[in-house]
Amino acid sequence: MTKDSSAHLDFELDLTFDETRRRAAVITALGTGWDPLAVMRGEEEAYDLLYSGLDGRQQEIYDMLVASGVLPRRGPGRAAD
């Protein structure tokens, strides 16, 4: 290596193996009883319950938050970011 201060050293690190190992560990920790569709249905039910029964002012604030993108739009055709 030269004494030139403008010389750069390339450093690369492939995390593919570690990411694969991490994902496998997560799936193992979730176990065989994990049902992702049931979890998603449960989340939808929780949101439905959370936003049900709003009074007029609460509904107005909710609509404002949805319109400004703070809360996701609910209903068919919406997708996660």
Side-chain angles (χ1 to χ4, degrees):
M1 194 161 178
T2 65
K3 293 184 179 186
D4 182 8
S5 62
S6 65
H8 296 280
L9 178 64
D10 288 334
F11 181 78
E12 294 181 16
L13 182 59
D14 185 3
L15 297 175
T16 306
F17 177 75
D18 283 335
E19 181 61 16
T20 302
R21 183 195 52 77
R22 184 194 67 80
R23 288 182 184 193
V26 167
I27 296 299
T28 300
L30 289 172
T32 58
W34 180 63
D35 182 1
L37 295 178
V39 170
M40 289 171 46
R41 281 190 299 272
E43 286 182 7
E44 288 298 319
E45 291 171 5
Y47 277 114
D48 290 343
L49 183 59
L50 179 64
Y51 297 118
S52 67
L54 300 178
D55 65 26
R57 178 70 178 139
Q58 291 169 330
Q59 186 65 49
E60 181 183 323
I61 292 170
Y62 172 80
D63 293 340
M64 179 185 64
L65 292 171
V66 169
S68 64
V70 174
L71 291 176
R73 188 167 308 282
R74 305 213 6 107
R78 80 172 171 85
D81 288 343

